[in-house]
Amino acid sequence: MSDIYVLSAFLLALVVLVLFIARFKVHPVATLFVVVVALGLALGMGGTGTIDLVTEGFGSTLASVGLLVIFGCVLGKMLELSGAAEAITERCLRLFSERKVPWAVALASSVVGIPLIADSVVVMLIPIVSALAARTGISMMKLGPILYIGAYVMTSVVPPGPGPLASAALLGVPTGQAILLGLAVGVPGILAATLYLTTIRTHVDPKPEFVEHLATGGSGPSGDTAVTERTAVRGPSLLACLTPIVTPIVLISGASLLGPLMAEDNLVRGALEFVGEPTMALFLACVLSLPLFRGRWRDKETLTDLFESGLRIAAMPLALTGVGGALAATIRETGVAESVAEGVQQIGISPIIIPFLVAAAVCTITGSNILGVMTAAAIMQPLVDVLGLAPIAIYLACATGAQIMKHANSSGWWVTTTLSNMTVGQGIRSIGVASVISGVTGFAVLNVLIAVGVV
């Protein structure tokens, strides 16, 4: 088979993948499966060989990442329903003066966004942010997008977010390394995007239903069962709220950094590597979340139903990750990787731009940063060796590219635009532009890290 044929089949598969998801609204898992099977057949794997390869790639990928994604999603659900997210936000707001409220919102959103999906962060915290906008006179065109962008960037670049977690596993990047360097490119992106959003002069009032209680002296919007549920368990201390978020980061990073410095038979190293193993660290974080529910942690609703809620959230990332692993296996076994590498060399562009552009294209066209980072990682995994790039560099390129660009085909964009009382045009000017700024800034920082030899 000629290189031209292999590359043409591969590029056609990518076009079909994006077209089915974005234009015809076919579910990503079904689309990925069809594309993987068609690519295997087109590149001569045969019917039985293609299915065997898909099964092997699916199974081996889930074996390495399955429990990580499950525990990460369960942790996020526990922090959401326990009231921890609101408590962290309210404490951050107290630390800043009224003039610096946008930066307080950015800080709170970034912390809460590590374990939670950005859409959930906005739905949970928009009443608090709307009340702040009414009290301070700050435009919701600033505060709403800032609330979204902090969580959005973190859930794109830092495990235990399902996208970064799965992508790191696909690329063989240690979770501790993904966390530390994900923060290194993510934080500058949030700062740059927040700085842009603070310059917006258009004033947008908060939605009336989020602020009417301020005039009546009530305690908040009525009729919201979810808010009522969370209020019933609200009130945990800041330390208790931060512990489940910080502990897995410290354990995983500590095992990654300190473990290699000790002798292999050192008992401390053994213990550190046990609790710092990502699956165990995330499970311990879930256990540490139980005190947030106080006396309710013994209830069936907390111990069983909550875990099942997390499993439902994990189903989509798990399926995508498994099929993404099958795509990576197909690319690796059919010679696509070598053909792509030769094409990159002939064009003469820097290899690091490839994963960035692939992730950006998938995110912009499909509207999903999680799908963007995972799909790009699956495509790039077989290319790691032939492109001569470190796996962590490809991971960070995928994660920064997958932030570009949020617009009207994204559920998170619509949630934030609608709940912030913005028009479509205002949503594009704020969220859309800010997402481009965050991704480009993170990618620029990545290139600096590569230049100085950190990555």
Side-chain angles (χ1 to χ4, degrees):
M1 243 175 263
S2 68
D3 286 345
I4 293 178
Y5 175 80
V6 172
L7 280 175
S8 298
F10 176 60
L11 292 175
L12 180 61
L14 294 183
V15 171
V16 171
L17 172 69
V18 172
L19 187 64
F20 273 37
I21 295 173
R23 178 67 179 86
F24 299 111
K25 309 302 179 186
V26 181
H27 195 280
V29 175
T31 301
L32 271 169
F33 178 76
V34 170
V35 166
V36 170
V37 172
L39 186 62
L41 293 174
L43 295 180
M45 297 297 295
T48 302
T50 297
I51 296 301
D52 288 345
L53 189 60
V54 169
T55 304
E56 179 186 344
F58 187 92
S60 62
T61 302
L62 285 189
S64 63
V65 76
L67 286 175
L68 283 173
V69 174
I70 289 173
F71 290 144
C73 291
V74 170
L75 174 62
K77 196 66 180 177
M78 294 179 80
L79 293 173
E80 175 186 343
L81 295 183
S82 66
E86 292 95 329
I88 292 170
T89 302
E90 290 166 356
R91 185 59 62 90
C92 287
L93 294 172
R94 291 187 203 135
L95 297 176
F96 288 78
S97 65
E98 184 174 299
R99 187 169 57 88
K100 296 180 179 178
V101 159
W103 295 100
V105 173
L107 174 60
S109 174
S110 300
V111 173
V112 174
I114 293 175
L116 292 177
I117 296 173
D119 303 35
S120 299
V121 173
V122 173
V123 172
M124 279 191 301
L125 302 182
I126 199 70
I128 297 174
V129 170
S130 297
L132 272 173
R135 289 179 179 134
T136 61
I138 299 175
S139 173
M140 281 301 295
M141 196 171 169
K142 294 181 181 181
L143 294 187
I146 289 174
L147 172 64
Y148 178 72
I149 207 73
Y152 174 67
V153 172
M154 284 300 178
T155 201
S156 299
V157 301
V158 179
L165 203 56
S167 301
L170 282 167
L171 292 166
V173 176
T175 307
Q177 190 180 35
I179 290 172
L180 294 175
L181 291 174
L183 289 171
V185 301
V187 171
I190 293 171
L191 293 175
T194 301
L195 185 62
Y196 161 73
L197 290 168
T198 58
T199 65
I200 291 177
R201 296 185 177 181
T202 304
H203 185 78
V204 175
D205 290 322
K207 290 177 75 70
E209 57 263 39
F210 291 136
V211 297
E212 59 189 8
H213 65 285
L214 298 178
T216 61
S219 58
S222 59
D224 188 338
T225 305
V227 171
T228 303
E229 267 186 51
R230 291 195 295 269
T231 302
V233 293
R234 190 177 297 170
S237 68
L238 180 63
L239 179 60
C241 294
L242 289 175
T243 297
I245 299 174
V246 174
T247 297
I249 295 176
V250 171
L251 291 177
I252 294 169
S253 302
S256 176
L257 296 173
L258 300 178
L261 301 178
M262 304 177 190
E264 290 189 10
D265 57 351
N266 189 300
L267 293 178
V268 175
R269 174 176 177 172
L272 184 61
E273 290 180 341
F274 174 69
V275 297
E277 198 282 324
T279 302
M280 179 56 66
L282 284 175
F283 176 74
L284 291 175
C286 293
V287 173
L288 292 172
S289 299
L290 291 175
L292 297 173
F293 293 87
R294 299 187 176 177
R296 293 180 56 207
W297 74 267
R298 301 180 185 87
D299 298 347
K300 175 182 178 294
E301 179 184 354
T302 302
L303 291 177
T304 303
D305 296 349
L306 189 59
F307 199 88
E308 290 180 355
S309 298
L311 285 174
R312 284 193 289 271
I313 296 172
M316 171 75 159
L318 282 173
L320 276 174
T321 304
V323 184
L327 175 60
T330 302
I331 293 172
R332 184 172 55 251
E333 295 295 327
T334 54
V336 170
E338 290 76 9
S339 298
V340 172
E342 289 179 11
V344 171
Q345 291 173 355
Q346 290 175 2
I347 296 173
I349 62 174
S350 173
I352 195 63
I353 197 93
I354 302 298
F356 177 79
L357 292 179
V358 170
V362 174
C363 178
T364 300
I365 297 172
T366 67
S368 171
N369 60 314
I370 293 177
L371 185 61
V373 66
M374 290 170 61
T375 303
I379 292 170
M380 298 307 300
Q381 188 265 340
L383 303 175
V384 172
D385 294 331
V386 293
L387 290 180
L389 295 171
I392 183 62
I394 294 179
Y395 165 79
L396 294 173
C398 293
T400 52
Q403 297 169 37
I404 301 172
M405 149 190 187
K406 302 304 281 188
H407 58 94
N409 64 349
S410 163
S411 61
W413 183 90
W414 277 113
V415 165
T416 308
T417 298
T418 303
L419 296 182
S420 298
N421 207 24
M422 294 189 293
T423 64
V424 169
Q426 290 168 343
I428 295 291
R429 282 173 51 206
S430 57
I431 304 167
V433 174
S435 67
V436 173
I437 290 173
S438 68
V440 170
T441 301
F443 186 63
V445 173
L446 168 59
N447 279 272
V448 172
L449 295 176
I450 293 173
V452 299
V454 174
V455 174

